[in-house]
């Protein structure tokens, strides 16, 4: 497996803080030359190990997000996962449990699109034996909320890299130009303004203002696509917990504060709290389950399913540790 050194880890954490931060600012914060940062990023990017992607914040732009659990026949899970991963409205596709369960996140623009998948396409797939859909109600960590698992930078360095915006409330109405902008940023969150201008039909200055407005108001965030194993977290699992409704905010916040949890959300269903857990090994996963989760009295029931394989991250397919863009 490819090894990342300390500077690589610092660069990844810097990009997690602000995926579009100029390389010159990252270099100044890390106290290295601009060329060193550019060379490191290009090496990781060319090898398919890292990609910055710009993504919409679901609740701010009206996306209907659900977490799906699909039970499949033993010979079908891989094919079903691969087919789902190639849909642009599907993210975070994983094979769980013994390889007979597929988990994914749907991001539908309309109820009709969501219902077409849940009520028509998936039920007609004979090798899918059961589908459970959990609507995402509130995200405690994930998306714009930064994962706390990397701690290679000092608090002063983190502050120097943080993007300061003024997130608004309510929904942002996207037009065709915004959708073209998001499509370009989903391929490469660090794409230059000349390329964004060509993709949207805007001038470079207008494309810049449009991107900055979406980012500043909390409709757009930048994520870093990378295999957690490269950062020292090869063990991944999905946690399902049943919590009394009044205790959901506190339980969700407690999980979100743990460095091993990059995503946690309140969802519909009897298991109403879901979290992604990253650990260095199964011993650490055991300690998380018995210590962190076991210490939360609000959690009434827990199911922990190991992730066997990640087929798609936020925007790109995977091949081992590498990210694969079908268009390239």
């Amino acid at each position: 497996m490819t090894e990342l050194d300390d500077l690589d880890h610092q660069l990844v954490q810097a990009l997690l803080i602000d995926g579009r931060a100029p390389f010159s600012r990252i270099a100044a914060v890390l106290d290295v030359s601009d060329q060193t940062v550019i060379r490191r990023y290009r090496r990781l990017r060319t090898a398919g190990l890292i990609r910055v992607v710009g993504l919409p914040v679901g609740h701010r732009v009206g996306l209907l997000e659900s977490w799906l659990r699909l039970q499949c026949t033993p010979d079908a899970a891989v094919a079903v996962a691969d087919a789902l991963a190639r849909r642009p409205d599907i993210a975070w596709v994983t094979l769980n449990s013994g390889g007979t369960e597929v988990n994914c996140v749907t991001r539908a623009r309309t109820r009709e699109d969501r219902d077409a998948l849940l009520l028509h396409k998936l039920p007609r797939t004979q090798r899918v034996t059961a589908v459970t859909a959990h609507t995402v109600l509130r995200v405690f960590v994930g998306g714009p909320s930064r994962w706390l698992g990397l701690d290679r930078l000092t608090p002063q360095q983190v502050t120097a890299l943080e993007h300061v915006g003024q997130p608004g409330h309510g929904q942002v109405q996207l037009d065709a130009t915004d959708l073209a902008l998001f499509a370009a940023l989903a391929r490469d969150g660090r794409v230059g303004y000349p390329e964004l201008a060509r993709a949207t039909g805007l001038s470079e200055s207008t494309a810049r203002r449009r991107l900055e407005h979406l980012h500043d108001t909390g409709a757009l965030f930048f994520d870093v696509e990378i295999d957690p194993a490269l950062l020292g977290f090869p063990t991944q699992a999905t946690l399902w917990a049943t919590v009394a409704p009044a205790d959901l905010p506190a339980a969700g916040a407690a999980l979100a504060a743990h460095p091993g949890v990059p995503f946690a959300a309140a969802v519909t269903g009897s298991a109403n709290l879901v979290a992604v857990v990253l650990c260095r090994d199964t011993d650490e996963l055991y300690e998380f389950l018995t210590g962190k989760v076991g210490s939360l009295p609000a959690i009434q029931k827990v199911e922990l399913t190991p992730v066997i394989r990640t087929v798609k991250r936020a925007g790109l397919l995977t091949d081992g540790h590498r990210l694969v863009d079908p268009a390239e």
Side-chain angles (χ1 to χ4, degrees):
M1 183 177 71
T2 302
E3 295 289 339
L4 304 189
D5 63 19
D6 190 58
L7 181 57
D8 291 328
H9 282 82
Q10 290 179 325
L11 174 58
V12 172
Q13 187 176 355
L15 292 171
L16 282 168
I17 296 169
D18 184 357
R20 277 191 75 90
F23 285 132
S24 58
R25 179 150 61 96
I26 295 175
V29 170
L30 300 186
D31 195 24
V32 296
S33 70
D34 294 9
Q35 288 303 313
T36 296
V37 170
I38 293 170
R39 186 169 59 250
R40 289 294 183 110
Y41 178 76
R42 285 180 176 171
R43 175 177 61 83
L44 296 172
R45 174 74 162 73
T46 301
L49 301 180
I50 190 173
R51 180 81 65 100
V52 175
V53 291
L55 301 170
V57 179
H59 72 277
R60 294 283 283 124
V61 300
L63 292 179
L64 302 173
E65 298 179 304
S66 299
W67 188 298
L68 302 188
R69 300 182 71 180
L70 287 73
Q71 300 297 327
C72 305
T73 57
D75 63 329
V78 173
V80 170
D82 287 342
L84 287 170
R86 296 186 181 279
R87 291 178 58 100
D89 58 346
I90 299 286
W92 297 108
V93 181
T94 61
L95 287 170
N96 288 49
S97 300
T100 58
E101 179 178 315
V102 177
N103 282 206
C104 66
V105 175
T106 68
R107 314 188 86 200
R109 295 203 171 277
T110 67
R111 294 184 184 277
E112 291 75 17
D113 290 342
R114 180 198 61 186
D115 293 346
L117 176 65
L118 296 180
L119 302 179
H120 301 292
K121 292 184 173 65
L122 289 176
R124 290 176 181 173
T125 305
Q126 294 182 353
R127 293 184 296 177
V128 174
T129 58
V131 178
T132 306
H134 303 262
T135 299
V136 176
L137 300 175
R138 178 67 54 86
V139 175
F140 299 110
V141 64
S145 302
R146 190 168 66 249
W147 175 44
L148 304 176
L150 287 181
D151 59 354
R152 302 302 180 97
L153 302 181
T154 66
Q156 293 77 17
Q157 288 174 311
V158 170
T159 300
L161 287 164
E162 285 180 327
H163 177 85
V164 180
Q166 295 180 331
H169 301 282
Q171 289 188 12
V172 175
Q173 298 300 318
L174 302 181
D175 59 21
T177 301
D178 294 323
L179 295 178
L181 184 70
F182 272 114
L185 293 171
R187 290 277 307 279
D188 183 0
R190 295 189 64 89
V191 64
Y193 291 108
E195 291 82 0
L196 285 178
R198 286 194 292 271
T200 58
L202 302 172
S203 67
E204 290 185 33
S205 60
T206 303
R208 178 192 291 269
R209 287 196 300 271
R210 184 73 67 98
L211 183 152
E212 290 175 349
H213 172 72
L214 291 170
H215 193 195
D216 290 343
T217 57
L220 164 70
F221 77 99
F222 294 96
D223 202 1
V224 177
E225 301 267 70
I226 188 170
D227 185 346
L230 296 174
L231 303 175
F233 301 95
T235 301
Q236 181 174 340
T238 304
L239 173 78
W240 294 93
T242 301
V243 181
D247 295 324
L248 263 175
L255 288 180
H258 192 280
V261 178
F263 177 85
V267 296
T268 58
S270 58
N272 55 1
L273 180 61
V274 61
V276 174
V277 185
L278 302 178
C279 297
R280 290 178 173 82
D281 51 37
T282 53
D283 285 340
E284 188 172 271
L285 182 60
Y286 174 81
E287 294 297 332
F288 172 83
L289 179 63
T290 58
K292 181 61 179 179
V293 178
S295 68
L296 299 176
I299 294 183
Q300 303 166 356
K301 182 179 178 182
V302 172
E303 180 184 2
L304 194 65
T305 60
V307 173
I308 306 301
R309 175 186 161 197
T310 298
V311 182
K312 186 180 185 180
R313 301 194 188 282
L316 298 171
L317 308 181
T318 66
D319 179 12
H321 298 297
R322 295 184 67 255
L323 300 164
V324 181
D325 187 341
E328 293 184 351

